[in-house]
């Protein structure tokens, strides 16, 4: 009866199964409620024997022991019911329902398509939770998770104890490792967290002006409409290749660090970390405590190194690299060419080689 709430146990031959749904029966226009083909507790999720439609405040959806594919789409003003599918079979739930998916055995995949408001998601290997001001949806035992959002949404991605890789651009971010893959699309803010193993992050720029900031603990690449963050990764690479005028700011560790440059490529390494910035028009690299060394390679006769006090700056065509608080700076010219230098009253050792 519409307007009434019921608790329904689903079973066969008098036995109650593992599904318990709090159901509020409603009848949307053109979509009458007909809970036919209810399935059974021992075979709840095949396309020919699916779980019952869930209309109410709590809906649990179970997969099979095989490979399952789930989808979920948030309610919108134009479509006021949540919709979800299990292996191609469609169901609806009221907008306020909390939907929980359980993957079960096999290699399972789920795609969540968010709504029009601001949303937050948390992904860990095998699990995902999406929440907004009006709904929550979650899933577990999933090998592949994908969430589609927009610029208002924020994503937090967590890695495994093994070796993992994170790749993020303006439209898509992916964190994956052994046995899992987490993908978000269209999100305005994405943060990935690394823990055990050897973890690598690769960040890509936009066609506009972007900013890359990195130190041994964290890195971010931000531009118009997007911001991607990598926390505690062993190696971070950022590439500015899409266009715009892009800047990089790198900071070393408390130990001994090495900066190596060649053209638009800058590589800062130290104990337990590696930061690479490629294609950026301007880069500023700061040393810290320890003995820090900067090596500028493949210099031509039109390149110039300028040094004053604790600052050194290499200008090569439209590319500039500035180092601050380094102990040693080495300028290495190509064979047959000699870079220009203007170094006076510096607080570090400067050497010229090659030419």
């Amino acid at each position: 009866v519409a307007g009434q709430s019921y608790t329904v146990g689903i079973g066969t031959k008098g036995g109650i199964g593992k599904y318990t749904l709090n159901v509020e029966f409603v009848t949307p226009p053109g979509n009458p409620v007909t809970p036919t083909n209810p399935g059974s507790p021992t075979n709840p999720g095949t396309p020919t024997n699916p779980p019952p439609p869930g209309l109410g405040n709590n809906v649990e959806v179970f997969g099979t022991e095989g490979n399952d594919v789930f989808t979920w789409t948030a309610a919108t003003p134009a479509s006021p019911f949540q919709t979800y599918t299990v292996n191609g079979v469609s169901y609806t739930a009221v907008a306020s329902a909390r939907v929980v998916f359980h993957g079960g055995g096999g290699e399972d995949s789920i795609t969540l398509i968010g709504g029009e408001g601001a949303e937050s998601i948390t992904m860990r290997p095998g699990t995902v939770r999406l929440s907004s001001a009006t709904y929550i949806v979650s899933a577990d035992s999933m090998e592949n998770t994908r969430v589609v959002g927009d610029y208002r949404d924020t994503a937090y991605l967590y890695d495994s104890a093994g070796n993992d890789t994170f790749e993020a651009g303006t439209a898509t971010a992916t964190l994956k490792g052994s046995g899992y893959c987490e993908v978000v699309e269209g999100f305005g803010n994405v943060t990935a967290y690394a823990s055990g193993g050897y973890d690598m992050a690769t960040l890509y720029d936009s066609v506009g002006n972007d900013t890359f900031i990195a130190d041994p603990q964290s890195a971010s690449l931000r531009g118009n409409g997007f911001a991607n963050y990598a926390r505690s990764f062993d190696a971070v690479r950022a590439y500015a290749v899409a266009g715009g005028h892009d800047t990089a700011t790198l900071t070393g560790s408390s130990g001994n660090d090495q900066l190596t440059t060649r053209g638009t490529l800058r590589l800062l390494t130290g104990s337990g970390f590696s930061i690479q910035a490629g294609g950026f028009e301007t880069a500023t690299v700061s040393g810290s405590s320890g003995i820090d060394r900067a090596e500028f390679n493949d210099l031509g006769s039109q390149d110039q190194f300028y040094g004053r006090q604790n600052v050194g700056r290499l200008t090569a065509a439209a590319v500039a690299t500035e180092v601050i608080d380094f102990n040693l700076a080495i300028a290495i010219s190509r064979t047959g060419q000699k870079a220009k230098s203007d170094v006076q009253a510096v607080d570090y050792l400067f050497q010229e080689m090659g030419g």
Side-chain angles (χ1 to χ4, degrees):
V1 178
Q4 299 296 316
S5 295
Y6 303 88
T7 298
V8 181
I10 308 233
T12 59
K13 296 183 179 179
I16 299 300
K18 63 180 179 180
Y19 303 103
T20 300
L21 305 179
N22 294 322
V23 180
E24 177 186 356
F25 287 103
V26 295
T27 306
N31 185 21
V33 175
T34 56
T36 59
N37 196 11
S40 69
T42 58
N43 186 20
T46 63
T48 58
N49 199 13
L55 294 173
N57 292 328
N58 296 286
V59 178
E60 283 193 274
V61 184
F62 292 82
T64 70
E65 291 305 310
N67 301 336
D68 299 307
V69 178
F70 306 87
T71 69
W72 173 90
T73 303
T76 65
S79 178
F81 288 84
Q82 299 182 55
T83 60
Y84 63 94
T85 68
V86 182
N87 297 324
V89 181
S90 298
Y91 305 98
T92 58
V94 295
S96 60
R98 178 167 181 172
V99 183
V100 181
F101 296 88
H102 305 288
E107 182 171 335
D108 302 318
S109 303
I110 188 166
T111 296
L112 307 179
I113 301 176
E116 297 183 357
E119 296 165 326
S120 175
I121 72 155
T122 300
M123 284 177 154
R124 300 179 188 275
T127 69
V128 59
R129 184 181 188 273
L130 182 152
S131 62
S132 75
T134 57
Y135 53 81
I136 297 174
V137 60
S138 60
D140 56 58
S141 300
M142 300 288 176
E143 284 68 34
N144 301 288
T145 54
R146 171 176 171 257
V147 182
V148 180
D150 62 28
Y151 70 95
R152 294 165 293 191
D153 300 331
T154 301
Y156 304 96
L157 280 57
Y158 293 84
D159 75 332
S160 73
N163 301 335
D164 305 293
T165 59
F166 175 56
E167 290 191 6
T170 59
T172 303
T174 302
L175 179 61
K176 61 183 178 180
S178 178
Y180 80 98
C181 181
E182 305 166 359
V183 180
V184 294
E185 298 178 8
F187 278 66
N189 289 272
V190 179
T191 302
Y193 297 90
S195 53
Y198 185 85
D199 303 314
M200 177 177 290
T202 304
L203 309 177
Y204 297 95
D205 72 328
S206 73
V207 297
N209 302 334
D210 304 305
T211 302
F212 175 55
I213 300 174
D215 61 36
Q217 288 75 44
S218 65
S220 66
L221 183 56
R222 294 174 290 177
N224 185 27
F226 81 100
N228 295 320
Y229 301 87
R231 309 292 194 201
S232 301
F233 280 78
D234 301 282
V236 176
R237 301 178 298 187
Y239 295 108
V241 295
H245 185 90
D246 304 311
T247 62
T249 300
L250 314 181
T251 302
S253 72
S254 58
N256 302 334
D257 301 320
Q258 167 84 30
L259 172 68
T260 304
T261 78
R262 179 173 277 104
T264 62
L265 180 65
R266 293 88 164 185
L267 176 63
L268 181 63
T269 58
S271 178
F273 80 95
S274 172
I275 303 170
Q276 180 175 301
F280 291 83
E281 284 78 14
T282 303
T284 301
V285 186
S286 298
S288 185
S289 55
I291 300 175
D292 301 321
R293 167 190 172 114
E295 185 177 290
F296 302 91
N297 292 277
D298 200 30
L299 305 185
S301 58
Q302 300 303 310
D303 302 333
Q304 180 170 351
F305 187 89
Y306 171 90
R308 295 291 188 276
Q309 298 180 340
N310 66 331
V311 177
R313 183 182 304 110
L314 176 69
T315 304
V319 177
T321 303
E322 182 174 270
V323 294
I324 302 173
D325 292 331
F326 273 69
N327 303 92
L328 173 64
I330 304 174
I332 304 175
S333 298
R334 294 193 291 268
T335 301
Q337 301 193 43
K338 183 70 172 179
K340 303 178 178 65
S341 62
D342 179 7
V343 179
Q344 301 178 35
V346 293
D347 299 336
Y348 53 89
L349 178 63
F350 175 69
Q351 294 181 351
E352 294 180 281
M353 301 176 64

